[in-house]
Amino acid sequence: TVFFVYVISSAKSEFTTFNKNNVKSVETVLTIEKELNFYSRVTREIMLGGDLDKNLALLNSELKTINGLFSTLASLSLDTEDKLLISQAKEKTMFFLKAARDLMNVLREPKESREEIYKTYHNNFSPIAKSSRVLMKKVVKNELEQSKKATVQFENRISTWTKLAIISAIFGIIILIILTGFISSQIKSSLSITENGLKNFFDYLNLLQKDVKILPNLGKDEFGHMSRMINENIQRIKGQFANRKKAITEFDTLCIEASKGFLFHRI
């Protein structure tokens, strides 16, 4: 039972680690991708003439969300190279997003046309955006690969724990069989000793044998209690038999003396 509790506890711990460091990492990086797509849609909405204040507020909110997601992703990573890759992706992405937001803010100036802003955005920020996307693809690919490896490792651990549990169960059954056999043998031995002791005692009572031996100590269980009771009776009966034997001997002596004419003897 203790071993099985240990197995379950270890499996639970392994799953918690797997869930925290791999599933959450993949979930976080995919959420970043989703938020980046949303950020891009809001930017296009501004360029197409959408509500500037509303969409700029959305961009600011998305910046905080994406920055927090990158921090979460970095905290979940245990690999140094992975942390470096995430840091680079965060730096490139956040630089591009902030620059794009600041560029959208320029539209508040009446002299700036959307066409000029779009040209500036396309010419100056497209390479940054492309570089950011490349890094994000690497991050996504890396997280998915690590998750796949972790999944295989977790499955192997579960398989190992299962095998250990089966071996433990078989080992436990073998021990149980041995203990049951040992206990059964002990009971059988005690029962046989008690049975033979009673038989010898009854033979002694019926004068079928001249002496009876004391039973060995059988412990503190029921058989031990029975053996002590039998031994007490053996000792008491042997004492009574000794007295009777002495009386018979004396009577026999008296009879012999009387047959010789010595009638003054008394018993």
Side-chain angles (χ1 to χ4, degrees), residues 74-105:
S75 68
L76 292 172
S77 177
L78 301 176
D79 184 72
T80 305
E81 293 183 5
D82 190 40
K83 281 183 177 291
L84 179 61
L85 182 61
I86 293 171
S87 177
Q88 291 173 348
K90 178 181 179 180
E91 183 181 356
K92 287 277 187 182
T93 302
M94 294 307 297
F95 176 78
F96 164 69
L97 295 180
K98 289 177 181 178
R101 179 205 56 189
D102 294 341
L103 186 63
M104 295 302 106
N105 266 308

Coordinates of all heavy atoms in Angstrom, one line a residue, residues 74-105:
A74 N 8.7 32.8 -20.5 CA 10.1 32.7 -20.1 C 10.2 32.0 -18.7 O 11.1 31.3 -18.5 CB 10.6 34.1 -20.0
S75 N 9.2 32.3 -17.8 CA 9.2 31.7 -16.5 C 9.0 30.2 -16.5 O 9.4 29.4 -15.7 CB 8.2 32.3 -15.6 OG 6.9 32.1 -16.0
L76 N 8.2 29.7 -17.6 CA 7.9 28.3 -17.7 C 9.1 27.5 -18.3 O 9.1 26.3 -18.1 CB 6.7 28.1 -18.6 CG 5.3 28.6 -18.0 CD1 4.2 28.5 -19.0 CD2 5.0 27.8 -16.7
S77 N 10.0 28.2 -19.0 CA 11.1 27.5 -19.7 C 12.2 27.1 -18.7 O 12.5 27.9 -17.9 CB 11.6 28.4 -20.8 OG 12.7 27.8 -21.4
L78 N 12.7 25.9 -18.9 CA 13.8 25.4 -18.0 C 15.1 25.4 -18.8 O 16.2 25.1 -18.2 CB 13.4 24.1 -17.4 CG 12.2 24.0 -16.6 CD1 11.9 22.5 -16.2 CD2 12.3 24.9 -15.4
D79 N 15.0 25.5 -20.1 CA 16.2 25.4 -20.9 C 16.8 26.8 -21.2 O 16.1 27.7 -21.5 CB 15.8 24.7 -22.3 CG 17.0 24.5 -23.1 OD1 17.8 23.6 -22.8 OD2 17.2 25.2 -24.1
T80 N 18.1 26.9 -21.1 CA 18.8 28.2 -21.2 C 18.7 28.7 -22.7 O 18.4 29.9 -22.9 CB 20.3 28.0 -20.9 OG1 20.5 27.5 -19.6 CG2 21.0 29.3 -21.0
E81 N 18.9 27.8 -23.7 CA 18.8 28.2 -25.1 C 17.3 28.7 -25.4 O 17.1 29.6 -26.1 CB 19.2 27.1 -26.0 CG 20.7 26.7 -25.9 CD 21.0 25.6 -26.9 OE1 20.2 25.2 -27.7 OE2 22.2 25.2 -26.9
D82 N 16.4 27.9 -24.8 CA 15.0 28.3 -25.0 C 14.7 29.7 -24.4 O 14.0 30.5 -25.0 CB 14.1 27.2 -24.4 CG 12.6 27.4 -24.8 OD1 12.4 27.7 -25.9 OD2 11.8 27.2 -23.9
K83 N 15.2 29.9 -23.2 CA 15.0 31.2 -22.6 C 15.6 32.4 -23.4 O 15.0 33.4 -23.6 CB 15.7 31.3 -21.2 CG 14.9 30.6 -20.1 CD 15.6 30.7 -18.8 CE 14.8 30.1 -17.6 NZ 13.5 30.9 -17.4
L84 N 16.8 32.1 -24.0 CA 17.4 33.1 -24.9 C 16.6 33.4 -26.1 O 16.4 34.5 -26.5 CB 18.8 32.6 -25.3 CG 19.6 33.5 -26.2 CD1 19.9 34.9 -25.5 CD2 21.0 32.9 -26.6
L85 N 16.1 32.3 -26.7 CA 15.2 32.4 -27.9 C 14.0 33.2 -27.6 O 13.6 34.1 -28.4 CB 14.9 31.1 -28.5 CG 14.1 31.0 -29.8 CD1 14.8 31.7 -30.9 CD2 13.7 29.6 -30.2
I86 N 13.4 32.9 -26.5 CA 12.1 33.7 -26.1 C 12.5 35.1 -25.8 O 11.7 36.0 -26.2 CB 11.6 33.0 -24.8 CG1 11.0 31.6 -25.1 CG2 10.4 33.9 -24.2 CD1 10.6 30.8 -23.9
S87 N 13.6 35.4 -25.2 CA 14.0 36.8 -24.9 C 14.2 37.6 -26.2 O 13.8 38.7 -26.3 CB 15.3 36.8 -24.1 OG 15.8 38.1 -23.9
Q88 N 14.9 36.9 -27.2 CA 15.1 37.6 -28.5 C 13.8 37.9 -29.2 O 13.5 38.9 -29.7 CB 16.0 36.7 -29.3 CG 17.4 36.6 -28.8 CD 18.3 35.6 -29.6 OE1 17.7 34.8 -30.4 NE2 19.6 35.7 -29.4
A89 N 12.9 36.9 -29.2 CA 11.6 37.0 -29.8 C 10.8 38.1 -29.1 O 10.1 38.9 -29.8 CB 10.8 35.7 -29.8
K90 N 10.8 38.2 -27.8 CA 10.1 39.2 -27.1 C 10.6 40.6 -27.4 O 9.9 41.5 -27.7 CB 10.2 39.0 -25.6 CG 9.6 40.0 -24.7 CD 9.7 39.8 -23.2 CE 9.1 40.8 -22.4 NZ 9.2 40.6 -20.9
E91 N 12.0 40.7 -27.5 CA 12.6 42.0 -27.7 C 12.2 42.5 -29.1 O 11.8 43.7 -29.3 CB 14.1 41.9 -27.6 CG 14.9 43.2 -27.9 CD 16.4 43.0 -27.8 OE1 16.8 41.9 -27.5 OE2 17.1 44.0 -28.0
K92 N 12.3 41.6 -30.1 CA 12.0 42.0 -31.5 C 10.5 42.3 -31.6 O 10.1 43.3 -32.2 CB 12.3 40.9 -32.5 CG 13.8 40.7 -32.7 CD 14.3 41.6 -33.8 CE 15.7 41.3 -34.2 NZ 16.2 42.2 -35.2
T93 N 9.7 41.5 -31.1 CA 8.2 41.6 -31.2 C 7.7 42.9 -30.5 O 6.9 43.6 -31.1 CB 7.5 40.4 -30.6 OG1 7.9 39.2 -31.3 CG2 6.0 40.5 -30.8
M94 N 8.2 43.1 -29.3 CA 7.7 44.2 -28.5 C 8.2 45.6 -29.2 O 7.4 46.6 -29.2 CB 8.2 44.2 -27.1 CG 7.5 43.0 -26.3 SD 5.7 43.0 -26.3 CE 5.3 44.5 -25.5
F95 N 9.4 45.5 -29.7 CA 9.9 46.7 -30.4 C 9.0 47.0 -31.6 O 8.6 48.2 -31.8 CB 11.4 46.5 -30.9 CG 11.9 47.6 -31.7 CD1 12.4 48.8 -31.1 CD2 12.0 47.5 -33.1 CE1 12.9 49.9 -31.8 CE2 12.5 48.6 -33.8 CZ 12.9 49.8 -33.2
F96 N 8.7 46.0 -32.4 CA 7.9 46.2 -33.6 C 6.5 46.7 -33.2 O 5.9 47.6 -33.8 CB 7.8 44.9 -34.4 CG 6.7 44.9 -35.4 CD1 6.7 45.7 -36.5 CD2 5.5 44.1 -35.2 CE1 5.6 45.7 -37.4 CE2 4.5 44.1 -36.1 CZ 4.5 44.9 -37.2
L97 N 5.9 46.1 -32.2 CA 4.5 46.4 -31.7 C 4.4 47.8 -31.2 O 3.5 48.6 -31.5 CB 4.0 45.4 -30.7 CG 3.8 44.0 -31.1 CD1 3.4 43.1 -29.9 CD2 2.9 43.8 -32.3
K98 N 5.4 48.2 -30.4 CA 5.4 49.6 -29.9 C 5.6 50.6 -31.0 O 5.0 51.7 -31.0 CB 6.5 49.7 -28.8 CG 6.2 49.0 -27.5 CD 7.3 49.1 -26.5 CE 7.0 48.3 -25.2 NZ 8.1 48.4 -24.3
A99 N 6.5 50.3 -31.9 CA 6.8 51.2 -33.0 C 5.5 51.4 -33.9 O 5.2 52.5 -34.3 CB 8.0 50.7 -33.8
A100 N 4.8 50.2 -34.1 CA 3.6 50.3 -34.9 C 2.6 51.1 -34.2 O 1.8 51.9 -34.8 CB 3.1 48.9 -35.2
R101 N 2.4 51.0 -32.9 CA 1.4 51.7 -32.1 C 1.8 53.2 -32.2 O 0.9 54.1 -32.4 CB 1.4 51.2 -30.7 CG 0.4 52.0 -29.8 CD 0.8 52.0 -28.4 NE 2.2 52.5 -28.2 CZ 2.8 52.4 -27.0 NH1 2.3 51.8 -26.0 NH2 4.1 52.9 -26.9
D102 N 3.1 53.5 -32.0 CA 3.5 54.9 -32.0 C 3.2 55.6 -33.4 O 2.8 56.7 -33.5 CB 5.0 55.1 -31.7 CG 5.2 54.7 -30.2 OD1 4.3 54.7 -29.4 OD2 6.4 54.4 -29.9
L103 N 3.4 54.7 -34.5 CA 3.2 55.2 -35.8 C 1.7 55.5 -36.0 O 1.3 56.5 -36.7 CB 3.7 54.2 -36.8 CG 3.6 54.6 -38.3 CD1 4.5 55.8 -38.5 CD2 4.0 53.5 -39.2
M104 N 0.8 54.6 -35.4 CA -0.6 54.8 -35.6 C -1.0 56.1 -34.8 O -2.0 56.8 -35.2 CB -1.4 53.6 -35.0 CG -1.2 52.3 -35.7 SD -1.6 52.3 -37.4 CE 0.0 52.3 -38.2
N105 N -0.3 56.4 -33.8 CA -0.6 57.7 -33.0 C -0.4 58.9 -33.9 O -1.0 60.0 -33.6 CB 0.2 57.7 -31.8 CG -0.5 57.2 -30.6 OD1 -1.6 57.5 -30.2 ND2 0.2 56.3 -29.9

